[in-house]
Every structure is written in C-alpha cells, then in structure tokens.
Amino acid sequence: MSLRRPLWTAAVLGLLMTLLVAPARAAEDLPFRDPSLPLNTRIDDLLGRLTLDEKISLLHQSQVAIPRLGIKYHKNGTEALHGVAWSNDDNNNWAQTFASGTVFPQAVGLASTWDPELIKKVGSATGDEVRGYNAIDPVVWGTQVWAPVANLLRDPRWGRNEEGYSEDPLLTGAMSTAYGKGLEGDDPVYLKTAPVIKHYLANNNEYQRSSTSSNLPPRVRHEYDEAAFRPAISADAVTGVMGSYNLVNGRPNTVNPDLGGLVRSWTSKDLYNVSDAWAPHGITQLNHYYDTETEGFAATLKAGIDSFTVDDNNPATMTALIKDGLSTGLLAEPDIDKAVRRALSIRFRLGQFDPDGGPYAKITKSVINSAANQKLNRETAAKAMVLLKNSARTLPLDPARTKKVAVVGPLHNILLSDWYGGKMPYKVTPLDGIKERLGAGATVTGTDALDRVAFKDVATGRYITVNDTASPVVASGTAPTAASEFDVTDWTDGVSTLRNVATGKLLTGNWGTFLANSDLPGGWFVQQQFKLERQADGTYLIAYVGYEINEGWWSTPDPYVTIGADGTLEMGSKAQAARFSKEVVSSGAAAAAAQAKGADAAVVVVGSDPFVAGRENHDRTGLALGQSQQDLIAAVTKANPNTVVVLEDSYPTTMEKVQDKVGSLLWTTHAGAETGHALTDVLFGDVNPAGRLTQTWYKSEAGLPDILNYDITKTGHTYLYYKGSPLYSFGHGLSYTTFAYQGLKLNSDTVRPDGGVQASVKVTNTGRSAGDEVVQLYTHQRSSRVAQPVKQLRAFQRVHLQPGQTKTVTLTFKAADLALWDVTRDKWTVEKSEHDIMVGGSSTAIRQRTTLSVKGEKIPARDLSKVTRAADFDDYAGVQLVDESKASGDAVGRIGTGDWISFKDADLGKGATGFTAGVAATAAGKIEVRLDSPTGRLLGTAQVPATGGVYAYTTATTTLAKAGGVHDVYLVFTGDLRIRDFALTK
C-alpha cells in the first residue's frame, strides 16, 4: 500500500539520500514524514527510530507525544455510535467531554431504515464531525472511533439493545459495513476516521458481563455470532476490533486467539485491535484467569490486542507490566513491534505523519451540526420509523382537517439521548413538530400525563418531603404540599422515576442519603430509579434500584426506602422497609383524556428513558411498558377514537393491557434532535413510513430462555429458529399504501456451490400514495443433516414506487451463503438440497415463492475412528463448552452427572472395539459410551482419574462391546471432568 502513489525510483532514491545525509536532521524531513514513500517503508523507518520505551508507550490508549520525532499526542476511542458522542480530555483529568453536534437515531433505529446507502451517509457525516471536533481540539477528539457495534440482538432484554443493529447477521453486516465505510471516507488509502468494530464476541448480556461465559457450539459461533462481524472486516469498512468483557467457552475475549488469527484472516489490511476499558486487568483481578497481571497483559498482547484501554491516561502500570513480561521471557521485543506496527499503520493512514495532515485535515468545525447534517438527520429519523399497526386507519392524519390536537404522554415534549449519544444542540420535540406543521391556526395542547402523588408513611402519618435540593429527604408534615408531591413516570420493566413538584428535581439514591437534586436520570449508576411495590393491604414499599446495587461491593442487597428515627429517608432491607400509602393528587391519565376528548386527533407519546431499566451493565427482566403508561393509552383511546400511539424506545416492548385497543401504533427509537420534525412528517403523510423491524417482538418475556443461553438453535429463538407466533415479526412494518408482488424468477433453477443466484420479482404500488417497500428475500433448506433455520434473510432492497408504478427488483446472493458449518469435518459445506426461495415484505409476509436446487454434497457419516473434537458434538444436555487451554481450543466441561454429548450418524463399520479420550479432571469420574440415546445400549465405561488440574490432560481408555453399522454415539458423564477429544478404534 502506498500513500499518494509514489514512483518506486523516487522512493529508492529518497531512501538512499536519507542514509547519506548527515547527521541530525529536522523531524519533519525524516523519511517517515514523506507521503511519496510506500506506507510500509514509512512505518519501517519510524519503527526503527523508536526506543523500546517509546514503542511501549504506543501500546496504550493514551499515547504520549514523542517530541524528538515531532510525534504529537494521540488518543484512541472517540465514541461515535450514532453521531459524535463523547471523549476523554487528557488535559483535564481524563474528564468525559460531550460533543454537541448531530445526534442521529440510535443504532437500532439506523438499521430500521434497511437502507445501507443512507446509513453510509450518516457514517460519513459523523466522520466529518469527528474531524471537525479534532480540528478544534485534537487532544480530546481523537480520530480513531469506537463504532459500529456488531453484537447481535439475540435477546431483547439486553441492556444495550439500542447499540446493535439486528438479530440477523446479514442485516447487521450490511449496516455495520455501511456505517464503517462512511466513517472511513472514500479515499483509497487515507482514513477520515479509523472505526473499531465492537464487541467481539457473543456479548449480549450485561448481567455479570465480565465473568459470565457465552456458550457457543461451533455452528452458532460460525454461522451466527462470527457472521455478524465478518462482513465489515472483509469489506475493509473497519480498521480494528474491540475484544469484549465476557468469556466465550470459558476463555476471556480479551485473550481470544481469534483476535490474532481468525479476524485478521478476513482482510489483507492491518487491523489495530483494542481492549475494552479495564478488561486486561479484569482477566486477572476478576476472572483470576492468570495468576499475575504480568501474565495477563502478556497474554493479551500475544492473543492479538494491540492497544490497552486501562488506567485512563496513565500508562505507568501497563508499562511496568509489559517490561516485566519482557524481563521474564513472557514477551519478546518482536511482540511489541508487531502491535506497534499496527498502531502506526492506522496513524499513518489518518494522516498524522504527513506534513499537511492528509486530505481529511482540511475539514473544519463548520461541519458540526451543519444544515446538511440536520437535513440528513431528519430524513434518517423519518425513514427509521416503523408503522406497527394501523387497523383503525387513523394514519396519516389530514392536516386540513386536524385543527385541534392533544399531544400527551411522558415523551410528548422532551427528547432523550443515551450513554453513547452526544448532547443535542437543539431539540424539536413531538409537540414542537406538530405545532410547527399545523401552524398558528391550529390548537395544539400538551401534557406529560403523569400521576401526581404523595407518599405517607403509614406508621407515622408523615409525608416524604423535599425541603431543598441539598438537604436529605425526610418524612415530615401531616398534610401534603408541593414539597411532598411527586410526578411519577412509570417507564418500563416496572421502574419509575419520581420528580418532586416543589423543586422539579428527581429523587436520587445518593449512596443512601436520599436527595432530590437530579434533572434527568444519568451517570454511571443512575441513582434515580425506584420500583413501587403494591402490597396485599394496598400499601406500597419503595424499592431502590439504582444500578450500583448490582455491584459486588454493595452492602445492602435489595434495598428499600426506610425511615430513620429522625425522619430521614434511609436504605434498608425489605424487612425494614417503610410502608406508604400512595395518595393520588391528580391523575395523569384523566388529565390527558380530558384534553383529548373533543380534539380532532390525539397523539400519545410513550416509551422509555435510555438510562432507566436497562443500559450498559444492566439488563431488563421484562419487556412491558409501564402500567401507568398503558393506563394512559387506555384512557385516551377511550376518550378519542382518533388516537395515534407513538412508542419511542430502544427495544421490543409489550403492552398487553392495551395492545388490542390501539388502532394505530408507530414505533421510533430515540431519534435525536430532529425527532419532532421526522415524527410529524410521518404522522401527516409527508413521509410514508417504511421502516422495518430488525428483531422479533415476542408477545412477552415469559417464553424467553435464560439470557445467558446463547444457543439459538436449541432454544428456538430469533426469527431464524422461532416457530411461535410473535407480536411483530422480523422485517415487519406497514405503509400508507399497498404493494403487490408477481413473477418471481431465478436466473437458474439450479446452482452449484461456487455459483450465484439472481432473483427478480415485480413489485407494484397498488395504493394511492407514493411509498417505499423493503423487498426481502429469505431461503429455507428443506433437507439437511442438521436443524435448519425456519427461514433466513439472504438479500433485501428498499425501493421507492409512485402509485401504480411497477419495478423489477433484482436480489442476488451466492450459493456459498447457504453453507453450514459442518462439525464432522470442521469446514463450511454447501449441502445438496432443495431450497425454498421466498420474497415478501417481512419474514411472515411472504408474497412469492419458488424452488432452487442446490447441487451441493451430502455430508458423509461420521468416522469416529479419527480423533474427534468433543466440542464438535451434534447435540448435548447439561454440559458447557470450556477452554481446552488458556491459549486456544475448546473442550467439553462443567459437567454434572448424567450430562451427555452425542455424535449423529457415526459409521462404526464392522464394529468399534475401543474408546480413547483426552481428559482432565480435578476428581475422578467416568464416561459411558452408549448407542442411540443417553440410556441406550452401553458399550463400555472409561474411568477418568484425577489429573491434578483442568488443563492437565491424560488419556482415558476402555474396551467396547463390539457394535457395527451406523448409530448415534452418546458419551454420558459422571463427575465434573473435561473431555478434549476422543476416538473409537475399530
């Protein structure tokens, strides 16, 4: 790779002149500063000039300047998930510093557009604004950015659902590729920004995220979780990977060998991989995976992490540990050089060592929150909105007939951002947008429709009272006043915030001395969260659910509000909890209904706060919209049949109480400063909604598996394997018009594994409004050695059609995309089978079908006489996958008595006579070899001795009763042991 495409003769002459010129020369004249030289030549030159200490300094997130070479300070990790969010200031104690630029819709909203070209524009605008901020202050705003997020939305209870794109790997890959390409820019060599994709791998739970292990059988790992990351990396749309906090199959991802091997095999370019914050410390201090931090840091580097995100901007600890690793032989200087070379490659491509800073250095602060970006934001927010339901045909509203509108609900006149969102420089709320759209001649009223309540301590008759924002909250006074009244917002999952009427501030946990001093829920621990628990006698307990109570160091499990002897509110156990009567001063639902009655239309804006009931480090337990919000919907729809419900949140949400009462339901994620304009565009038909859901909306959380169960093939979840009836299906979204499909054709009815498939279908707008249709192509493999998805997305295209217009939409995919991971031979395999080809407007709205014959292969029967990895089982019960060694490999372990693994269709020939297994155990156990079921014919039992440790493997053997033919072979375990591999002798 060459920067600015030099002639090789000029490069060689330049290098020779460098060697002849004597002796000291200005840093700006050194060869690494010369853009006409090839990139590798420049890297070699600079790397050769660095001292060991200087090289080690480049392993840290916060990279100090090297004045003697004219190298400036550099910081990794500006957050830019959906616009520039925040960074840390090296000159101000590493303070979190927020951007105030264009805040685009959350990532799940971006994906809901199903429009990669649009999302590339969003990524490009975000990249421009990163450069704009970098021009203002390059110390704070580094140009290596931590985005996009490719973690799959496997479980809707995930606290970070808003950060991902989809439960589907193809859609996730398309969106992460588009956003990453936009962030990088279009120069063939230079980078506008250097995006880092996160969080590798299988990171979809916040519950004990740094200590839990995601159990990934090989097919799930390769076909699902890895498949979400591969597209962006293969397309060179990202320049690095962030390892996630969690473990996979018993090994922390910080030392996942994929980071140095597999993910780098997907691209020919250098990847500059980074750790998540504190994670290299966590593998020793939390996971106790290594005995010493020196071992942990050395293993992190050798596994493929090139940059340590530890200790804020202080590299001293890292430096000492790396030097200790060098002195003890755990590391060698070439290990350092390898990582530093990757760091330098990205910094060169960012233009940092060019005299003029490279082509993107010309971008100035003028791009921040520009008119063009505001326009793009409005377009994106509107295109992301999903019309979930319109059975009442309330939408679109007719502005000529809509002169009196009631806009109600907790989100009717506020806009909220999230942990990875910036500060909005302006806000157009739903109320603002509707007022602007209808103009001065209309009457548009608004209310947040919150219940105003007072809490009276049953024991003393005193009310919870706020005297001021600095004093502890107390129970005092026997009659309610504004100081003892609270507006309650019942968000989701039963979590509420309580805003004091007198001060306008939220009740806040404040480590046990309650204050009312917060404007909004926020901070790392979000101490403004409470649950109001109704008791059998009608009284209430107030549970405190700030996020810090989930930390290991928190001393009061499940804390509740108690009242001290002096009346001060305190925290205590449930047994100590004070009982309160909840006196309703005024009903928000009643006020909203009164406002809605007689209006031409009512717009109810409900939903979530991104900081409440789930966020980074905290999952949700349920999916339900707050009951008071559901009561609000019920009251308003009863008062005014011309009601539209706008659900503004970041994840699938249920509202069982009113689901059937809502005639028109529109979903939007938290969509940034232009939310009000975009919402109004959709409500009044200026934009025909065409957003589509990117994950399954289940009817409730009741049927969901444990959030730590990642094996979707076994649990039957995500649209890929779910056979139930969802609330709203993957790909669902309605329109103000209708579309017809006809004439689905394939370029050929058959395809070989190395071939491609081209499907064409005619799509016609059969309604009266122009609109977009998202044409989705799914496949289903009819026969297979393994359980196949119900259907799987293979291609999609968003198309615009005028009324009556017909377009032929062409969708393509490769036959290789149909491959499965063959556990019998550890490779991708395209099986011989008929495939249903299905095209339509969602995964359940299939309009056209045809059949494709794939001329693949039949996977042969297993040959268990060859050494077989135990992890390559076909089915299992109870066991988990664990690390074979700390460096690499998977084994089967964490076994309980009676647990088993099975190997389907094993050809035993004329008879297997012996069994040999690689095993490890801390105590003696045994392995039974059985046929056709866990309780089937017993062929033999291998005794497993204690080996002295889980990584100390030995060989266990037994003779087998002779059995031939093709059978399913079961290994049934007794005792907690590990099995690495095995073979049957014939």
Side-chain angles (χ1 to χ4, degrees):
M1 184 188 301
S2 167
L3 299 186
R4 298 190 182 166
R5 317 278 183 190
L7 294 173
W8 274 100
T9 52
V12 173
L13 287 172
L15 197 54
L16 287 173
M17 290 298 294
T18 303
L19 297 174
L20 294 172
V21 172
R25 54 194 295 182
E28 60 267 22
D29 295 330
L30 294 173
F32 75 85
R33 293 285 184 187
D34 186 353
S36 69
L37 293 175
L39 175 60
N40 284 333
T41 301
R42 298 178 70 186
I43 295 173
D44 287 341
D45 179 71
L46 178 51
L47 187 62
R49 296 177 187 278
L50 296 171
T51 67
L52 178 60
D53 283 347
E54 288 168 342
K55 286 188 283 190
I56 291 173
S57 75
L58 297 177
L59 300 178
H60 199 265
Q61 175 193 12
S62 180
Q63 299 171 14
V64 298
I66 305 174
R68 72 180 186 87
L69 295 174
I71 295 175
K72 297 179 181 179
Y73 172 83
H74 169 79
K75 185 195 80 68
N76 290 333
T78 295
E79 300 290 356
L81 182 60
H82 54 107
V84 189
W86 53 268
S87 189
N88 298 102
D89 188 352
D90 184 66
N91 289 327
N92 186 25
N93 298 317
W94 208 241
Q96 187 180 25
T97 304
F98 285 91
S100 184
T102 309
V103 179
F104 289 97
Q106 293 171 306
V108 68
L110 297 179
S112 299
T113 66
W114 290 62
D115 190 341
E117 285 303 312
L118 176 66
I119 302 314
K120 182 180 178 183
K121 293 177 183 178
V122 172
S124 181
T126 300
D128 286 343
E129 294 201 11
V130 170
R131 281 285 181 169
Y133 274 106
N134 180 259
I136 296 170
D137 190 339
V139 171
V140 177
W141 304 102
T143 50
Q144 193 222 41
V145 298
W146 289 351
V149 169
N151 297 112
L152 292 162
L153 306 184
R154 168 193 62 95
D155 193 306
R157 296 166 297 184
W158 185 35
R160 303 177 76 168
N161 197 85
E162 73 268 11
E163 294 184 37
Y165 292 118
S166 172
E167 70 182 7
D168 178 73
L170 183 143
L171 183 56
T172 294
M175 292 301 163
S176 57
T177 298
Y179 193 70
K181 283 287 189 183
L183 287 169
E184 286 185 342
D186 294 324
D187 191 276
V189 174
Y190 285 92
L191 298 166
K192 184 188 299 183
T193 70
V196 171
I197 197 167
K198 56 182 188 176
H199 313 79
Y200 192 90
L201 179 70
N203 177 204
N204 187 227
N205 64 275
E206 298 304 295
Y207 169 73
Q208 296 184 359
R209 61 180 181 174
S210 295
S211 58
T212 54
S213 181
S214 304
N215 198 58
L216 297 185
R219 282 193 63 213
V220 177
R221 181 171 189 150
H222 294 302
E223 296 176 22
Y224 192 62
D225 285 282
E226 289 173 1
F229 284 83
R230 185 169 184 166
I233 296 171
S234 298
D236 295 322
V238 295
T239 62
V241 176
M242 176 184 284
S244 57
Y245 288 117
N246 61 297
L247 299 84
V248 164
N249 296 351
R251 181 181 297 106
N253 274 324
T254 303
V255 290
N256 188 333
D258 286 0
L259 297 170
L262 181 66
V263 297
R264 295 185 190 277
S265 74
W266 295 337
T267 176
S268 61
K269 293 189 176 180
D270 281 334
L271 291 176
Y272 176 40
N273 295 339
V274 307
S275 80
D276 210 333
W278 187 76
H281 287 307
I283 57 177
T284 301
Q285 296 180 18
L286 180 64
N287 303 134
H288 306 293
Y289 199 68
Y290 295 98
D291 293 332
T292 69
E293 289 239 272
T294 297
E295 292 176 284
F297 272 56
T300 296
L301 193 67
K302 292 177 80 71
I305 293 287
D306 307 308
S307 177
F308 290 81
T309 311
V310 292
D311 307 307
D312 297 336
N313 58 342
N314 183 2
T317 298
M318 179 209 73
T319 300
L321 292 169
I322 294 297
K323 286 187 173 182
D324 192 36
L326 289 168
S327 67
T328 56
L330 293 172
L331 291 172
E333 192 162 353
D335 297 319
I336 311 299
D337 289 348
K338 188 184 296 185
V340 171
R341 171 175 287 276
R342 294 164 181 158
L344 294 178
S345 73
I346 299 304
R347 291 186 64 173
F348 270 108
R349 294 180 66 200
L350 287 167
Q352 292 184 7
F353 305 128
D354 283 20
D356 64 355
Y360 294 110
K362 300 178 180 66
I363 298 175
T364 68
K365 66 179 182 180
S366 63
V367 301
I368 299 172
N369 191 37
S370 65
N373 287 354
Q374 292 177 13
K375 181 180 178 182
L376 177 64
N377 199 12
R378 180 172 181 168
E379 177 189 0
T380 305
K383 283 189 171 181
M385 293 185 184
V386 181
L387 183 59
L388 294 175
K389 189 177 180 181
N390 200 24
S391 57
R393 304 296 183 197
T394 306
L395 290 175
L397 299 173
D398 184 350
R401 299 180 179 181
T402 309
K403 298 303 180 183
K404 184 179 181 182
V405 182
V407 187
V408 302
L411 294 172
H412 86 289
N413 198 31
I414 60 172
L415 297 183
L416 300 173
S417 191
D418 56 55
W419 183 253
Y420 289 101
K423 293 184 177 179
M424 289 171 262
Y426 68 97
K427 296 180 180 182
V428 182
T429 69
L431 182 64
D432 295 332
I434 293 171
K435 282 183 175 180
E436 180 183 324
R437 178 65 174 82
L438 295 180
T443 300
V444 181
T445 59
T447 177
D448 52 18
L450 302 179
D451 287 341
R452 181 163 291 180
V453 305
F455 297 99
K456 183 169 69 173
D457 175 27
V458 173
T460 65
R462 296 177 296 181
Y463 288 86
I464 295 178
T465 302
V466 177
N467 292 315
D468 55 58
T469 58
S471 303
V473 178
V474 298
S476 67
T478 55
T481 65
S484 57
E485 294 174 355
F486 295 85
D487 290 335
V488 180
T489 308
D490 181 10
W491 293 107
T492 55
D493 203 19
V495 180
S496 298
T497 53
L498 311 174
R499 189 176 299 278
N500 183 251
V501 173
T503 64
K505 304 291 185 179
L506 292 174
L507 186 65
T508 303
N510 192 49
W511 312 108
T513 303
F514 290 94
L515 300 175
N517 63 349
S518 305
D519 292 320
L520 291 170
W524 181 250
F525 293 116
V526 191
Q527 297 183 319
Q528 298 80 24
Q529 302 182 93
F530 299 87
K531 286 189 175 183
L532 307 180
E533 298 181 357
R534 194 174 191 277
Q535 305 302 295
D537 62 359
T539 63
Y540 286 82
L541 306 184
I542 304 177
Y544 173 67
V545 289
Y547 292 151
E548 73 272 23
I549 68 173
N550 298 296
E551 300 291 340
W553 42 260
W554 182 256
S555 60
T556 306
D558 300 321
Y560 284 75
V561 173
T562 64
I563 298 176
D566 62 354
T568 302
L569 265 61
E570 299 173 349
M571 286 188 194
S573 67
K574 187 172 185 177
Q576 299 168 319
R579 289 178 176 263
F580 298 95
S581 61
K582 187 177 78 170
E583 300 178 358
V584 178
V585 178
S586 59
S587 165
Q595 198 173 98
K597 190 174 184 179
D600 297 324
V603 178
V604 185
V605 190
V606 294
S608 71
D609 185 310
F611 280 86
V612 175
R615 198 214 62 191
E616 182 172 355
N617 212 32
H618 191 79
D619 296 310
R620 287 170 289 279
T621 59
L623 303 176
L625 184 68
Q627 289 302 309
S628 66
Q629 294 197 67
Q630 294 191 51
D631 291 341
L632 167 65
I633 293 169
V636 174
T637 53
K638 182 178 181 180
N640 190 328
N642 206 39
T643 292
V644 179
V645 177
V646 178
L647 179 60
E648 185 177 342
D649 64 10
S650 316
Y651 41 85
T653 302
T654 61
M655 39 184 163
E656 185 176 358
K657 190 173 184 178
V658 293
Q659 180 65 38
D660 295 336
K661 298 179 181 179
V662 175
S664 295
L665 178 62
L666 183 69
W667 177 82
T668 174
T669 191
H670 295 282
E674 288 290 330
T675 297
H677 281 149
L679 176 61
T680 304
D681 290 341
V682 172
L683 290 177
F684 290 95
D686 301 315
V687 171
N688 193 339
R692 301 292 185 261
L693 296 180
T694 67
Q695 61 189 131
T696 303
W697 285 40
Y698 301 100
K699 290 181 178 178
S700 81
E701 67 277 1
L704 292 176
D706 188 296
I707 197 169
L708 298 180
N709 192 336
Y710 277 72
D711 189 354
I712 60 171
T713 64
K714 203 166 179 68
T715 67
H717 284 82
T718 76
Y719 85 97
L720 292 165
Y721 293 97
Y722 187 61
K723 295 181 180 179
S725 176
L727 180 62
Y728 298 112
S729 62
F730 175 83
H732 171 75
L734 304 177
S735 172
Y736 297 154
T737 189
T738 54
F739 300 95
Y741 288 68
Q742 60 181 341
L744 174 62
K745 295 181 180 179
L746 303 180
N747 60 327
S748 174
D749 293 335
T750 64
V751 66
R752 296 183 60 81
D754 59 351
V757 179
Q758 179 177 292
S760 61
V761 65
K762 292 181 179 180
V763 183
T764 302
N765 184 341
T766 54
R768 298 179 180 179
S769 304
D772 290 4
E773 171 71 325
V774 179
V775 184
Q776 303 164 41
L777 185 150
Y778 298 86
T779 67
H780 170 68
Q781 184 171 331
R782 292 182 180 176
S783 60
S784 176
R785 182 185 179 278
V786 299
Q788 283 286 336
V790 176
K791 57 176 65 77
Q792 185 162 0
L793 182 70
R794 301 299 184 182
F796 63 90
Q797 187 176 337
R798 181 166 175 154
V799 294
H800 183 76
L801 294 167
Q802 295 295 326
Q805 183 182 11
T806 298
K807 284 185 179 179
T808 298
V809 178
T810 301
L811 301 167
T812 63
F813 62 93
K814 297 176 182 177
D817 296 339
L818 305 175
L820 60 83
W821 182 259
D822 177 12
V823 296
T824 72
R825 295 173 294 177
D826 286 329
K827 69 173 188 175
W828 290 102
T829 299
V830 177
E831 288 185 295
K832 179 181 179 180
S833 179
E834 301 294 300
H835 287 251
D836 296 315
I837 308 298
M838 300 165 280
V839 176
S842 82
S843 62
T844 54
I846 300 302
R847 306 294 182 83
Q848 292 276 288
R849 295 173 179 264
T850 191
T851 303
L852 174 71
S853 179
V854 179
K855 303 302 181 181
E857 65 174 308
K858 176 178 173 60
I859 297 174
R862 276 188 182 269
D863 181 2
L864 297 182
S865 67
K866 298 178 180 179
V867 174
T868 299
R869 303 290 303 179
D872 287 332
F873 50 69
D874 287 297
D875 199 3
Y876 65 101
V879 303
Q880 293 188 44
L881 289 164
V882 296
D883 50 336
E884 177 188 344
S885 71
K886 291 184 178 180
S888 64
D890 292 342
V892 172
R894 296 182 185 170
I895 290 168
T897 297
D899 292 351
W900 53 263
I901 55 177
S902 68
F903 300 82
K904 181 181 176 183
D905 297 334
D907 186 355
L908 304 182
K910 294 181 180 179
T913 58
F915 171 80
T916 302
V919 293
T922 55
K926 62 183 180 180
I927 303 173
E928 296 177 345
V929 182
R930 293 181 177 271
L931 291 187
D932 301 322
S933 84
T935 58
R937 180 187 173 193
L938 177 65
L939 298 186
T941 302
Q943 300 298 323
V944 177
T947 64
V950 294
Y951 303 121
Y953 286 89
T954 190
T955 301
T957 63
T958 187
T959 58
L960 299 179
K962 191 172 182 179
V966 176
H967 293 273
D968 294 346
V969 173
Y970 283 75
L971 303 184
V972 184
F973 305 106
T974 299
D976 187 3
L977 56 90
R978 291 189 179 199
I979 176 170
R980 175 181 61 195
D981 50 31
F982 72 97
L984 304 183
T985 55
K986 296 180 181 179

